[in-house]
mmCIF file with all atom_site columns, all heavy atoms in Angstrom:
data_model
loop_
_atom_site.group_PDB
_atom_site.id
_atom_site.type_symbol
_atom_site.label_atom_id
_atom_site.label_alt_id
_atom_site.label_comp_id
_atom_site.label_asym_id
_atom_site.label_entity_id
_atom_site.label_seq_id
_atom_site.pdbx_PDB_ins_code
_atom_site.Cartn_x
_atom_site.Cartn_y
_atom_site.Cartn_z
_atom_site.occupancy
_atom_site.B_iso_or_equiv
_atom_site.pdbx_formal_charge
_atom_site.auth_seq_id
_atom_site.auth_comp_id
_atom_site.auth_asym_id
_atom_site.auth_atom_id
_atom_site.pdbx_PDB_model_num
ATOM 1  N N   . LEU G 1 84 ? 60.046 26.229 -70.681 1.00 91.00 ? 119 LEU G N   1
ATOM 2  C CA  . LEU G 1 84 ? 60.119 25.582 -71.997 1.00 91.00 ? 119 LEU G CA  1
ATOM 3  C C   . LEU G 1 84 ? 61.304 26.253 -72.787 1.00 91.00 ? 119 LEU G C   1
ATOM 4  O O   . LEU G 1 84 ? 61.315 27.480 -72.877 1.00 91.00 ? 119 LEU G O   1
ATOM 5  C CB  . LEU G 1 84 ? 58.840 25.619 -72.747 1.00 91.00 ? 119 LEU G CB  1
ATOM 6  C CG  . LEU G 1 84 ? 57.675 24.946 -72.002 1.00 91.00 ? 119 LEU G CG  1
ATOM 7  C CD1 . LEU G 1 84 ? 56.404 25.070 -72.857 1.00 91.00 ? 119 LEU G CD1 1
ATOM 8  C CD2 . LEU G 1 84 ? 57.978 23.521 -71.675 1.00 91.00 ? 119 LEU G CD2 1
ATOM 9  N N   . LEU G 1 85 ? 62.138 25.445 -73.313 1.00 90.00 ? 120 LEU G N   1
ATOM 10 C CA  . LEU G 1 85 ? 63.445 26.013 -73.883 1.00 90.00 ? 120 LEU G CA  1
ATOM 11 C C   . LEU G 1 85 ? 63.294 26.469 -75.323 1.00 90.00 ? 120 LEU G C   1
ATOM 12 O O   . LEU G 1 85 ? 64.278 26.956 -75.852 1.00 90.00 ? 120 LEU G O   1
ATOM 13 C CB  . LEU G 1 85 ? 64.523 24.992 -73.784 1.00 90.00 ? 120 LEU G CB  1
ATOM 14 C CG  . LEU G 1 85 ? 64.865 24.567 -72.229 1.00 90.00 ? 120 LEU G CG  1
ATOM 15 C CD1 . LEU G 1 85 ? 66.007 23.556 -72.261 1.00 90.00 ? 120 LEU G CD1 1
ATOM 16 C CD2 . LEU G 1 85 ? 65.199 25.776 -71.442 1.00 90.00 ? 120 LEU G CD2 1
ATOM 17 N N   . HIS G 1 86 ? 62.155 26.278 -75.937 1.00 91.00 ? 121 HIS G N   1
ATOM 18 C CA  . HIS G 1 86 ? 61.973 26.750 -77.289 1.00 91.00 ? 121 HIS G CA  1
ATOM 19 C C   . HIS G 1 86 ? 60.675 27.509 -77.441 1.00 91.00 ? 121 HIS G C   1
ATOM 20 O O   . HIS G 1 86 ? 59.717 27.271 -76.678 1.00 91.00 ? 121 HIS G O   1
ATOM 21 C CB  . HIS G 1 86 ? 61.992 25.534 -78.247 1.00 91.00 ? 121 HIS G CB  1
ATOM 22 C CG  . HIS G 1 86 ? 63.282 24.737 -78.167 1.00 91.00 ? 121 HIS G CG  1
ATOM 23 N ND1 . HIS G 1 86 ? 64.392 25.025 -78.912 1.00 91.00 ? 121 HIS G ND1 1
ATOM 24 C CD2 . HIS G 1 86 ? 63.530 23.634 -77.376 1.00 91.00 ? 121 HIS G CD2 1
ATOM 25 C CE1 . HIS G 1 86 ? 65.322 24.185 -78.625 1.00 91.00 ? 121 HIS G CE1 1
ATOM 26 N NE2 . HIS G 1 86 ? 64.904 23.290 -77.671 1.00 91.00 ? 121 HIS G NE2 1
ATOM 27 N N   . TYR G 1 87 ? 60.647 28.434 -78.367 1.00 89.00 ? 122 TYR G N   1
ATOM 28 C CA  . TYR G 1 87 ? 59.436 29.299 -78.574 1.00 89.00 ? 122 TYR G CA  1
ATOM 29 C C   . TYR G 1 87 ? 59.369 29.654 -80.066 1.00 89.00 ? 122 TYR G C   1
ATOM 30 O O   . TYR G 1 87 ? 60.245 29.456 -80.825 1.00 89.00 ? 122 TYR G O   1
ATOM 31 C CB  . TYR G 1 87 ? 59.609 30.570 -77.690 1.00 89.00 ? 122 TYR G CB  1
ATOM 32 C CG  . TYR G 1 87 ? 60.423 31.619 -78.349 1.00 89.00 ? 122 TYR G CG  1
ATOM 33 C CD1 . TYR G 1 87 ? 59.844 32.727 -78.961 1.00 89.00 ? 122 TYR G CD1 1
ATOM 34 C CD2 . TYR G 1 87 ? 61.857 31.595 -78.295 1.00 89.00 ? 122 TYR G CD2 1
ATOM 35 C CE1 . TYR G 1 87 ? 60.622 33.721 -79.588 1.00 89.00 ? 122 TYR G CE1 1
ATOM 36 C CE2 . TYR G 1 87 ? 62.610 32.571 -78.872 1.00 89.00 ? 122 TYR G CE2 1
ATOM 37 C CZ  . TYR G 1 87 ? 62.016 33.630 -79.537 1.00 89.00 ? 122 TYR G CZ  1
ATOM 38 O OH  . TYR G 1 87 ? 62.748 34.578 -80.087 1.00 89.00 ? 122 TYR G OH  1
ATOM 39 N N   . PRO G 1 88 ? 58.163 30.249 -80.531 1.00 89.00 ? 123 PRO G N   1
ATOM 40 C CA  . PRO G 1 88 ? 57.002 30.459 -79.741 1.00 89.00 ? 123 PRO G CA  1
ATOM 41 C C   . PRO G 1 88 ? 56.195 29.159 -79.634 1.00 89.00 ? 123 PRO G C   1
ATOM 42 O O   . PRO G 1 88 ? 55.911 28.422 -80.550 1.00 89.00 ? 123 PRO G O   1
ATOM 43 C CB  . PRO G 1 88 ? 56.232 31.441 -80.647 1.00 89.00 ? 123 PRO G CB  1
ATOM 44 C CG  . PRO G 1 88 ? 56.698 31.102 -82.065 1.00 89.00 ? 123 PRO G CG  1
ATOM 45 C CD  . PRO G 1 88 ? 58.159 30.714 -81.921 1.00 89.00 ? 123 PRO G CD  1
ATOM 46 N N   . VAL G 1 89 ? 55.711 28.999 -78.339 1.00 91.00 ? 124 VAL G N   1
ATOM 47 C CA  . VAL G 1 89 ? 54.969 27.768 -78.011 1.00 91.00 ? 124 VAL G CA  1
ATOM 48 C C   . VAL G 1 89 ? 53.476 27.919 -78.504 1.00 91.00 ? 124 VAL G C   1
ATOM 49 O O   . VAL G 1 89 ? 52.821 28.897 -78.248 1.00 91.00 ? 124 VAL G O   1
ATOM 50 C CB  . VAL G 1 89 ? 54.992 27.467 -76.519 1.00 91.00 ? 124 VAL G CB  1
ATOM 51 C CG1 . VAL G 1 89 ? 54.123 26.303 -76.181 1.00 91.00 ? 124 VAL G CG1 1
ATOM 52 C CG2 . VAL G 1 89 ? 56.396 27.340 -76.062 1.00 91.00 ? 124 VAL G CG2 1
ATOM 53 N N   . LEU G 1 90 ? 53.101 26.942 -79.251 1.00 91.00 ? 125 LEU G N   1
ATOM 54 C CA  . LEU G 1 90 ? 51.768 26.925 -79.797 1.00 91.00 ? 125 LEU G CA  1
ATOM 55 C C   . LEU G 1 90 ? 50.785 26.149 -78.907 1.00 91.00 ? 125 LEU G C   1
ATOM 56 O O   . LEU G 1 90 ? 49.750 26.657 -78.519 1.00 91.00 ? 125 LEU G O   1
ATOM 57 C CB  . LEU G 1 90 ? 51.718 26.313 -81.211 1.00 91.00 ? 125 LEU G CB  1
ATOM 58 C CG  . LEU G 1 90 ? 52.628 26.990 -82.301 1.00 91.00 ? 125 LEU G CG  1
ATOM 59 C CD1 . LEU G 1 90 ? 52.630 26.218 -83.577 1.00 91.00 ? 125 LEU G CD1 1
ATOM 60 C CD2 . LEU G 1 90 ? 52.138 28.392 -82.484 1.00 91.00 ? 125 LEU G CD2 1
ATOM 61 N N   . THR G 1 91 ? 51.151 24.889 -78.599 1.00 92.00 ? 126 THR G N   1
ATOM 62 C CA  . THR G 1 91 ? 50.319 24.063 -77.766 1.00 92.00 ? 126 THR G CA  1
ATOM 63 C C   . THR G 1 91 ? 51.218 23.212 -76.851 1.00 92.00 ? 126 THR G C   1
ATOM 64 O O   . THR G 1 91 ? 52.287 22.804 -77.208 1.00 92.00 ? 126 THR G O   1
ATOM 65 C CB  . THR G 1 91 ? 49.411 23.155 -78.611 1.00 92.00 ? 126 THR G CB  1
ATOM 66 O OG1 . THR G 1 91 ? 50.238 22.372 -79.501 1.00 92.00 ? 126 THR G OG1 1
ATOM 67 C CG2 . THR G 1 91 ? 48.414 23.972 -79.367 1.00 92.00 ? 126 THR G CG2 1
ATOM 68 N N   . LEU G 1 92 ? 50.604 22.865 -75.704 1.00 95.00 ? 127 LEU G N   1
ATOM 69 C CA  . LEU G 1 92 ? 51.195 21.775 -74.880 1.00 95.00 ? 127 LEU G CA  1
ATOM 70 C C   . LEU G 1 92 ? 50.393 20.486 -75.178 1.00 95.00 ? 127 LEU G C   1
ATOM 71 O O   . LEU G 1 92 ? 49.232 20.439 -74.852 1.00 95.00 ? 127 LEU G O   1
ATOM 72 C CB  . LEU G 1 92 ? 51.089 22.166 -73.397 1.00 95.00 ? 127 LEU G CB  1
ATOM 73 C CG  . LEU G 1 92 ? 51.558 21.180 -72.355 1.00 95.00 ? 127 LEU G CG  1
ATOM 74 C CD1 . LEU G 1 92 ? 53.044 20.916 -72.543 1.00 95.00 ? 127 LEU G CD1 1
ATOM 75 C CD2 . LEU G 1 92 ? 51.209 21.647 -70.908 1.00 95.00 ? 127 LEU G CD2 1
ATOM 76 N N   . ASP G 1 93 ? 51.126 19.537 -75.767 1.00 96.00 ? 128 ASP G N   1
ATOM 77 C CA  . ASP G 1 93 ? 50.373 18.427 -76.336 1.00 96.00 ? 128 ASP G CA  1
ATOM 78 C C   . ASP G 1 93 ? 50.255 17.161 -75.359 1.00 96.00 ? 128 ASP G C   1
ATOM 79 O O   . ASP G 1 93 ? 49.228 16.563 -75.285 1.00 96.00 ? 128 ASP G O   1
ATOM 80 C CB  . ASP G 1 93 ? 51.092 17.922 -77.619 1.00 96.00 ? 128 ASP G CB  1
ATOM 81 C CG  . ASP G 1 93 ? 51.110 19.067 -78.629 1.00 96.00 ? 128 ASP G CG  1
ATOM 82 O OD1 . ASP G 1 93 ? 50.148 19.836 -78.760 1.00 96.00 ? 128 ASP G OD1 1
ATOM 83 O OD2 . ASP G 1 93 ? 52.214 19.246 -79.249 1.00 96.00 ? 128 ASP G OD2 1
ATOM 84 N N   . HIS G 1 94 ? 51.372 16.891 -74.695 1.00 97.00 ? 129 HIS G N   1
ATOM 85 C CA  . HIS G 1 94 ? 51.345 15.667 -73.835 1.00 97.00 ? 129 HIS G CA  1
ATOM 86 C C   . HIS G 1 94 ? 52.244 15.885 -72.665 1.00 97.00 ? 129 HIS G C   1
ATOM 87 O O   . HIS G 1 94 ? 53.159 16.732 -72.710 1.00 97.00 ? 129 HIS G O   1
ATOM 88 C CB  . HIS G 1 94 ? 51.873 14.442 -74.601 1.00 97.00 ? 129 HIS G CB  1
ATOM 89 C CG  . HIS G 1 94 ? 51.019 14.098 -75.815 1.00 97.00 ? 129 HIS G CG  1
ATOM 90 N ND1 . HIS G 1 94 ? 49.789 13.498 -75.657 1.00 97.00 ? 129 HIS G ND1 1
ATOM 91 C CD2 . HIS G 1 94 ? 51.222 14.376 -77.156 1.00 97.00 ? 129 HIS G CD2 1
ATOM 92 C CE1 . HIS G 1 94 ? 49.336 13.255 -76.893 1.00 97.00 ? 129 HIS G CE1 1
ATOM 93 N NE2 . HIS G 1 94 ? 50.161 13.790 -77.807 1.00 97.00 ? 129 HIS G NE2 1
ATOM 94 N N   . CYS G 1 95 ? 51.953 15.129 -71.570 1.00 97.00 ? 130 CYS G N   1
ATOM 95 C CA  . CYS G 1 95 ? 52.831 15.077 -70.451 1.00 97.00 ? 130 CYS G CA  1
ATOM 96 C C   . CYS G 1 95 ? 52.985 13.639 -70.025 1.00 97.00 ? 130 CYS G C   1
ATOM 97 O O   . CYS G 1 95 ? 52.007 12.999 -69.608 1.00 97.00 ? 130 CYS G O   1
ATOM 98 C CB  . CYS G 1 95 ? 52.316 15.880 -69.251 1.00 97.00 ? 130 CYS G CB  1
ATOM 99 S SG  . CYS G 1 95 ? 53.331 15.772 -67.771 1.00 97.00 ? 130 CYS G SG  1
#
Side-chain angles (χ1 to χ4, degrees):
L119 299 180
L120 298 181
H121 301 273
Y122 83 98
V124 178
L125 302 174
T126 56
L127 177 63
D128 303 319
H129 301 282
C130 177

